[in-house]
Amino acid sequence: MIPAELVTKAHEHVDSGAFFAELAELVRYATVSDHPSGRVAIKAYLDEVLTPALTALGCSVETYPNPDPDGGPFLIGTRIERPELPTLLCYGHADVVDGHEGQWSEGRDPWTLTADGERWYGRGSADNKGQHLINLTALRLLLAETGSLGFNLKFLFETGEEIGSPGLDEFVEANREALSADVLIASDGPRLDAATPTVFLGARGSVRIALDVDLRPDAYHSGNWGGVLRNPATTLAGAIACLVDGHGRVQVPELLPPELPDSVRAALADLEIGNKPGDPALDDGWGDTALTAAERLYGWNTLEVLSLGAADIDRPVNAIPGRARAMLQLRYVAGTDVDGVGEAITKHLAANGFSMVDVTAEGSFLASRTPVDDPWVGWAKSVLDEVAEQRAAILPSFGGGLPNHVFTDLLGLATLWLPHSYPGCLQHAPDEHLLAPIAREGLVLATALFHALGRRGEGA
């Protein structure tokens, strides 16, 4: 059990405004990874924020170039107390998405942390600066209280997560020894909801699928040619409907996982999705209704239409367009074979009379997850349930995408993701914010996990 004085110090650190002030300093760095000025800010963030923070934890710190020219540098902090102790690997990403200046409510500046009640507004406040600051602070509080961690620490920061983590796989593969550990504890993404402490064990993967119906260079008058010229927009609508019907049900067996494991079903059995303030209303009858909402979101695959267009939708003319395009996205769980997604879709479309549709498939993050019955999972849940006001939820997979696979598949680690945000945080959008109550509780939860790991290392 975490000592009461550590809980008190964690609460005081947030309640006194000290954590807010530290986060404000982090937010002011405009570390946008897809903009040249962001690359300058990223270097400054590594040098002026993260390196001192890790050095203060007794870590040796080294910055590494990215093997992929499209990506930014990596940073590793290492503290070895004793070789025989368990080794913890932590992870965070220093980059953020575009600030969307001028689009925030109340004229807020995305690079200035602003408090409005329990909401702390600023780009990166939730994704990911606020989250890795909570973990760094928890480690600092533990070290100040006990004089040692009781485990060895390695902390990996990347700087290109928001652009798909270019070079991360190659870097981890080349630095296996430097990153070797017993378990990963990291924070990104949202909790199940604002009130529920959550541990998720992996992430769904993502494949983007471009459909292009390019039939002719010109548009032709719909009165003179309608009925005798194939309409690419109509064709595209039919092609999409034979992949995923009008009720969100995937029609291509190759795009679905082979099964929903009993362990995953059991972990999701009592989880309620939505119905919280700020959540959108769930749509009855959408998706595979043989599954619960939690199973559809965290244990199954979905095929979503991200964009769809032909001609000028805002100013249509009486003409059959020559071309129509759409971008779809397959969100998939571990166990799905996605190597032949493009081929499977092309074959399925041809079998349904849509051979004129060109298909391009491009993968992003890979799906991966730690087994629900892994001993580390039970350990983490028991620790969190001791200190949290509400029992922790265990999610087999995060609904979105994260580079979890580099830790499970390349480093062979159990992965425990303890998010310090919630689904309504507006990450990637104007008005991104961190909730103060989650920061307050999250600091206690992270400190409790790290304290328990240290006691585990001591054999207690």
Side-chain angles (χ1 to χ4, degrees):
M1 184 73 174
I2 181 175
E5 57 269 24
L6 262 178
V7 174
T8 299
K9 289 183 177 181
H11 285 164
E12 288 177 347
H13 193 74
V14 176
D15 297 343
S16 68
F19 183 87
F20 182 92
E22 291 172 355
L23 181 57
E25 176 65 13
L26 271 59
V27 166
R28 76 176 183 86
Y29 289 82
T31 55
V32 182
S33 48
D34 67 349
H35 193 278
S37 65
R39 297 294 181 96
V40 176
I42 283 172
K43 184 180 186 307
Y45 189 80
L46 297 186
D47 294 343
E48 300 169 11
V49 174
L50 294 180
T51 295
L54 291 168
T55 301
L57 292 173
C59 293
S60 60
V61 182
E62 187 167 355
T63 302
Y64 298 81
N66 196 314
D68 188 325
D70 292 333
F74 298 97
L75 183 147
I76 298 178
T78 306
R79 174 190 172 101
I80 303 297
E81 292 193 351
R82 296 199 310 273
E84 67 271 17
L85 292 176
T87 298
L88 167 68
L89 177 62
C90 293
Y91 160 88
H93 64 88
D95 64 319
V96 297
V97 299
D98 183 78
H100 297 123
E101 290 91 338
Q103 301 179 39
W104 293 56
S105 301
E106 310 297 330
R108 295 185 184 97
D109 173 20
W111 312 115
T112 302
L113 192 66
T114 306
D116 185 358
E118 295 181 337
R119 296 186 173 195
W120 297 346
Y121 291 94
R123 176 62 78 228
S125 57
D127 185 21
N128 176 253
K129 294 175 179 177
Q131 302 216 37
H132 62 245
L133 179 60
I134 287 174
N135 292 344
L136 288 166
T137 304
L139 291 163
R140 190 174 76 222
L141 291 177
L142 178 60
L143 188 59
E145 181 68 22
T146 64
S148 65
L149 297 176
F151 54 84
N152 303 315
L153 172 67
K154 297 179 180 180
F155 215 128
L156 168 66
F157 281 97
E158 69 160 316
T159 60
E161 192 272 349
E162 299 294 6
I163 53 173
S165 296
L168 180 60
D169 290 57
E170 296 90 336
F171 176 76
V172 170
E173 184 71 48
N175 292 274
R176 284 175 175 268
E177 183 60 32
L179 296 169
S180 63
D182 294 290
V183 64
L184 173 91
I185 298 178
S187 300
D188 204 352
R191 294 175 163 200
L192 176 67
D193 55 59
T196 307
T198 302
V199 175
F200 62 83
L201 310 178
R204 293 199 292 184
S206 172
V207 179
R208 284 202 170 194
I209 302 154
L211 303 182
D212 191 352
V213 188
D214 190 359
L215 300 184
R216 56 190 72 89
D218 300 311
Y220 288 86
H221 193 282
S222 57
N224 295 337
W225 297 100
V228 295
L229 291 184
R230 172 176 285 277
N231 188 310
T234 307
T235 299
L236 181 60
I240 292 173
C242 85
L243 300 178
V244 55
D245 72 13
H247 302 286
R249 301 180 186 113
V250 178
Q251 303 297 297
V252 187
E254 292 87 348
L255 302 186
L256 294 174
E259 63 176 352
L260 182 67
D262 290 340
S263 60
V264 173
R265 191 183 298 275
L268 298 174
D270 299 322
L271 298 187
E272 183 180 356
I273 305 299
N275 299 321
K276 300 295 187 301
D279 288 341
L282 303 188
D283 292 300
D284 292 334
W286 181 260
D288 189 341
T289 54
L291 304 173
T292 67
E295 289 168 351
R296 277 174 268 162
L297 185 57
Y298 299 119
W300 206 243
N301 295 1
T302 64
L303 185 60
E304 303 292 346
V305 179
L306 303 182
S307 62
L308 174 66
D312 189 336
I313 294 175
D314 295 323
R315 301 183 64 186
V317 296
N318 297 325
I320 300 167
R323 185 180 187 183
R325 291 174 291 171
M327 182 67 75
L328 281 63
Q329 184 184 58
L330 176 69
R331 291 279 187 177
Y332 69 95
V333 298
T336 307
D337 182 4
V338 295
D339 289 342
V341 162
E343 182 180 351
I345 290 175
T346 298
K347 183 177 179 180
H348 185 85
L349 290 176
N352 284 272
F354 295 109
S355 58
M356 70 292 298
V357 178
D358 290 329
V359 178
T360 304
E362 181 178 344
S364 182
F365 291 128
L366 301 177
S368 61
R369 65 179 172 226
T370 294
V372 175
D373 56 0
D374 187 283
W376 282 106
V377 178
W379 168 81
K381 180 167 173 55
S382 66
V383 172
L384 297 177
D385 285 347
E386 281 188 350
V387 296
E389 294 183 4
Q390 185 170 322
R391 292 177 65 84
I394 302 296
L395 302 183
S397 292
F398 166 51
L402 284 171
N404 184 74
H405 68 281
V406 303
F407 307 112
T408 54
D409 299 355
L410 298 183
L411 295 178
L413 300 180
T415 52
L416 306 173
W417 294 85
L418 178 69
H420 304 309
S421 186
Y422 78 115
C425 71
L426 299 177
Q427 67 183 86
H428 294 192
D431 294 338
E432 176 186 347
H433 59 275
L434 181 69
L435 282 184
I438 293 182
R440 190 175 192 267
E441 183 182 39
L443 186 52
V444 172
L445 299 180
T447 305
L449 272 185
F450 298 147
H451 176 267
L453 181 60
R455 297 285 290 164
R456 182 178 176 131
E458 296 168 359

